[in-house]
């Protein structure tokens, strides 16, 4: 959490000082990338052919799978980190990158497409994530960041709706779409033989997640997606989160409990027709609440509760 906050603060200072492009409170991706050069990357071995390139700063974890005929990446961070990512991969294999999977459209997981896409590497995503990458996106729930439409060669060239299975020589890789969770185009990647998930931003370790409401994100969808992970795993399953270190099922369960605990309080008080300000105050009395957006996250959860059809 601390690392993320430091980078976010750096990002804000930079954006205030040096950007003529800054309009009102909007942060442009070009602005953000200036602070990216300082990100430290660590290569973490998960098993014989799966690694994580784990950044310390505002970028998502890159999963690295080494197959018999090439490397598959899960998320590719920032274009200005592409050379560093390649250097790290070269320390473990001399095989070429043959495909990149984007877990969702967000810039801190897909901006690397702008570099890797120039090299004719196949990029795979869920269909909704492609739609978002092909159009300008504004993220009011994330500091009003604007993500411009990606050029065609940086957009995924292969998409799917529900599930895609990649059959590698020693591994079966399942790409599974989980609906309206962090966004409307999330996929999780399951390395079946290795029993390892890359969860994208459905599961992160810096506390409470980001719900990209304007892009179809929803608290109920996130909890359902986390339930999918819990129901389709065992004690030996390893989880590569969207951000943060390699985790266990126990940690995913704790994250689920934390989220569900918050939701239960907001649901209960919404049913009592309590005002949003009183709900915010009550949440802070009843649980250990901390979110980078301050009270906005509770307001988002409250909106999800209000939108949910009554049973
Ligand atoms: Zn994200």
């Amino acid at each position: 959490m601390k690392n993320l906050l430091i980078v976010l603060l750096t990002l804000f200072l930079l954006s205030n000082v040096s950007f003529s492009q800054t309009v009102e409170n909007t942060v442009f991706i070009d602005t953000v990338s200036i602070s990216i050069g300082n990100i430290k990357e660590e290569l973490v071995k998960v098993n014989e052919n799966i690694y994580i390139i784990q950044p310390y700063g505002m970028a998502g974890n890159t999963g690295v799978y080494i197959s018999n005929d090439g490397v598959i990446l899960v998320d590719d961070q920032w274009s200005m980190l592409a050379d560093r990512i390649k250097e790290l991969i070269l320390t473990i294999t001399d095989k070429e990158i043959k495909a990149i999977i984007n877990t969702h459209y967000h810039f801190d997981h897909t901006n690397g497409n702008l570099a890797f896409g120039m090299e004719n590497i196949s990029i795979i995503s869920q269909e909704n994530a492609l739609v978002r990458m092909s159009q300008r996106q504004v993220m009011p729930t994330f500091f009003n960041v604007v993500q411009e439409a990606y050029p065609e060669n940086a957009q995924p060239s292969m998409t799917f709706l529900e599930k895609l299975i990649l059959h590698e020589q020693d591994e079966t890789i399942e790409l599974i779409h989980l609906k309206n969770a962090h966004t409307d185009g999330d996929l999780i990647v399951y390395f079946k033989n290795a029993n390892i998930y890359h969860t994208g931003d459905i599961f992160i370790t810096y506390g409470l997640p980001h719900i990209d409401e304007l892009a179809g994100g929803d608290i109920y969808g996130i909890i359902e997606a986390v339930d999918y992970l819990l129901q389709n795993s065992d004690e030996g399953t390893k989880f590569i989160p969207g951000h943060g270190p390699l985790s266990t099922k126990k940690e995913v369960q704790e994250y689920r409990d934390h989220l569900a605990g918050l939701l239960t309080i907001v649901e209960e008080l919404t049913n009592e027709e309590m005002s949003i300000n009183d709900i915010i105050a009550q949440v802070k009395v009843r649980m250990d609440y901390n979110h980078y957006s301050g009270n906005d996250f509770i307001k988002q959860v409250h909106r999800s509760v209000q939108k949910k059809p009554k049973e």
Side-chain angles (χ1 to χ4, degrees), residues 151-285:
E152 206 154 311
N153 63 8
Q155 295 173 19
S157 52
M158 185 192 292
T159 65
F160 65 97
L161 295 177
E162 302 298 328
K163 189 172 183 175
L164 181 72
I165 304 176
L166 307 179
H167 296 275
E168 296 295 319
Q169 197 173 54
D170 300 313
E171 186 57 89
T172 301
I173 308 173
E174 296 183 348
L175 280 55
I176 303 148
H177 172 47
L178 297 169
K179 290 191 180 110
N180 297 85
H182 172 60
T183 69
D184 62 1
D186 300 308
L187 65 82
I188 52 168
V189 181
Y190 184 46
F191 298 95
K192 210 169 177 176
N193 299 345
N195 195 13
I196 295 167
Y197 279 98
H198 189 305
T199 67
D201 280 354
I202 280 169
F203 168 61
I204 44 81
T205 65
Y206 56 74
L208 291 161
H210 165 214
I211 301 174
D212 190 343
E213 237 178 331
L214 203 64
D218 184 274
I219 183 76
Y220 291 99
I222 291 200
I223 292 176
E224 264 175 46
V226 176
D227 282 343
Y228 178 95
L229 290 169
L230 291 168
Q231 283 154 16
N232 293 280
S233 59
D234 55 45
E235 299 313 312
T237 310
K238 290 175 180 158
F239 298 85
I240 302 171
H243 300 260
L246 187 67
S247 299
T248 61
K249 184 167 183 168
K250 187 171 165 274
E251 286 156 315
V252 178
Q253 182 67 57
E254 284 166 3
Y255 168 80
R256 199 257 181 222
D257 293 345
H258 191 46
L259 270 176
L262 170 63
L263 177 59
T264 305
I265 297 170
V266 176
E267 275 179 335
E268 188 188 311
L269 301 179
T270 305
N271 285 341
E272 290 172 17
E273 294 179 8
M274 192 179 270
S275 74
I276 181 61
N277 288 339
D278 290 343
I279 292 176
I280 289 167
Q282 274 299 311
V283 166
K284 291 178 177 175
V285 169

Side-chain angles (χ1 to χ4, degrees), residues 58-88:
M58 204 179 65
N61 281 327
T62 293
V64 181
Y65 170 69
I66 305 165
S67 78
N68 61 317
D69 65 347
V71 174
I72 299 176
L73 301 184
V74 183
D75 287 345
D76 56 18
Q77 306 186 16
W78 295 86
S79 57
M80 65 191 292
L81 297 171
D83 286 341
R84 225 189 287 171
I85 288 173
K86 284 187 204 163
E87 278 166 29
L88 284 170

